[in-house]
Amino acid sequence: MKKVLLAILILTSLAVLAFQFKPVKKVVSIVISSIETPSLINKDSLTIASRVNIPEGYKRVNYTEGSFEAYLRNYKLKAFGSKIINYDDTNYFWQGGHIGVLEIPVPKNGLQQCADALIRIRSEYLWDNNRKNEIGFNFTSGHYCSWTKYAEGYRPKINGNKVTFHKTASANTSKDNFYKYLNLIYMYSGTLSLYNELEAVKAKDLKIGDMLIKGGSPGHIVMVADEVVNVQGDKLFLLFQGNTPAQSVHLVKNLEDAVISPWYQLEDDTAISVSNYRFSSSKFVRFK
């Protein structure tokens, strides 16, 4: 009972401050989120789908087994409460914006930043499903670099914005070489290349695996991890992200709407806040 009274007292105090000082709004939202949404979180679960419950009146959108959408929805998570860890094994400075950490290693080279983490997830799905010939991404220069050509021994020669490919290595289709290829992609691709390369989609057509992206330096990107719908056709989504510096990939809270957090309503041409980043002048895109 004392804890409930204390929580009410804290919320009342913050509400008074929020009325007077606009910057406190986010703090209020964080506190409310921690109190109002525990029923949407299963702390003992170890996948995205089982970690987050469906809001009342909604149901999960069906996807076929083996699809990219099903792959993401059932992605493995670390134990609840796991911290976001930077590539150098230090703790990320803010641990208040996530409800789960995905089981994706963070290379010590620091290259696997926000766009790179999503590139890795997409590439590993294609690799695991015998679709290796579909693995390929544009450099920021616009030049396409495929895993198939890399595995044959072709390497880029880069001179400013001019890129040519030459066979300078022996053919190697191993998993170790695949991750060397991804390191190359991390170096020369990013939010700007994905922003320019990928097909734009409207919010009404969003599905799991689609991304919200702001291209640039710095830019940012998040991916849809799950999707639910009600009888009116209204949809809610879960989002996850990597970050800069390179760090653990994590499911983000919705700090703007504590009632449905960690679910998000996503609309075209609106500002959307995710953890430590606010998207504006951004768009939704889809991998080919």
Side-chain angles (χ1 to χ4, degrees):
M1 185 68 179
K2 291 181 179 179
K3 291 183 178 179
V4 173
L5 291 175
L6 179 59
I8 293 173
L9 179 60
I10 292 172
L11 287 174
T12 302
S13 301
L14 287 172
V16 172
L17 287 172
F19 181 78
Q20 299 175 359
F21 300 102
K22 195 172 182 180
V24 177
K25 179 180 178 182
K26 186 172 183 178
V27 178
V28 175
S29 182
I30 294 171
V31 174
I32 292 174
S33 178
S34 66
I35 295 173
E36 290 186 352
T37 62
S39 62
L40 291 177
I41 305 299
N42 291 318
K43 295 184 178 181
D44 295 331
S45 64
L46 294 174
T47 68
I48 290 175
S50 60
R51 174 67 55 86
V52 186
N53 291 327
I54 304 169
E56 185 176 354
Y58 286 82
K59 64 178 182 179
R60 280 192 161 91
V61 176
N62 289 326
Y63 287 103
T64 58
E65 185 177 353
S67 66
F68 186 48
E69 294 86 354
Y71 176 84
L72 292 176
R73 173 179 275 163
N74 294 291
Y75 212 97
K76 291 183 179 179
L77 299 176
K78 295 181 183 295
F80 185 83
S82 295
K83 292 183 177 181
I84 298 172
I85 307 298
N86 296 323
Y87 70 96
D88 59 0
D89 289 328
T90 60
N91 290 343
Y92 185 53
F93 77 94
W94 188 52
Q95 300 290 335
H98 71 286
I99 53 91
V101 174
L102 280 67
E103 284 280 9
I104 305 172
V106 182
K108 304 303 181 186
N109 58 23
L111 294 177
Q112 188 180 288
Q113 300 180 4
C114 60
D116 310 312
L118 307 190
I119 285 172
R120 174 175 182 164
I121 290 172
R122 175 63 176 175
S123 298
E124 288 182 330
Y125 166 76
L126 295 173
W127 179 280
D128 292 341
N129 285 271
N130 292 319
R131 294 168 58 183
K132 300 180 181 69
N133 63 324
E134 298 178 42
I135 300 172
F137 303 92
N138 285 355
F139 291 163
T140 301
S141 64
H143 297 84
Y144 182 73
C145 181
S146 73
W147 156 246
T148 301
K149 297 302 289 184
Y150 187 92
E152 291 174 358
Y154 287 87
R155 300 292 182 269
K157 181 179 181 181
I158 299 171
N159 184 9
N161 288 327
K162 184 179 179 181
V163 180
T164 55
F165 290 87
H166 307 270
K167 184 170 173 55
T168 59
S170 301
N172 183 345
T173 59
S174 70
K175 194 72 173 285
D176 285 343
N177 202 39
F178 168 64
Y179 284 112
K180 290 179 181 178
Y181 161 78
L182 286 181
N183 280 331
L184 176 69
I185 296 298
Y186 300 161
M187 289 177 63
Y188 295 108
S189 302
T191 56
L192 186 57
S193 62
L194 292 181
Y195 187 91
N196 292 327
E197 174 186 359
L198 299 183
E199 172 192 0
V201 294
K202 295 293 185 181
K204 65 181 180 62
D205 299 319
L206 283 173
K207 62 181 183 178
I208 299 174
D210 291 340
M211 296 158 284
L212 174 62
I213 186 169
K214 169 75 172 183
S217 299
H220 195 49
I221 187 170
V222 295
M223 179 174 276
V224 174
D226 204 353
E227 176 187 4
V228 294
V229 64
N230 63 18
V231 293
Q232 288 79 33
D234 302 317
K235 290 186 176 184
L236 299 176
F237 303 91
L238 296 180
L239 302 173
F240 66 81
Q241 65 176 9
N243 213 339
T244 303
Q247 61 187 226
S248 309
V249 183
H250 50 279
L251 277 169
V252 296
K253 293 180 181 178
N254 183 345
L255 299 178
E256 295 289 312
D257 192 339
V259 175
I260 62 171
S261 180
W263 296 95
Y264 278 79
Q265 290 178 317
L266 298 176
E267 299 177 356
D268 295 314
D269 304 318
T270 59
I272 299 171
S273 295
V274 290
S275 186
N276 57 347
Y277 190 87
R278 187 169 180 82
F279 285 92
S280 60
S281 301
S282 51
K283 67 179 179 179
F284 299 107
V285 296
R286 178 174 297 162
F287 277 125
K288 300 173 182 177

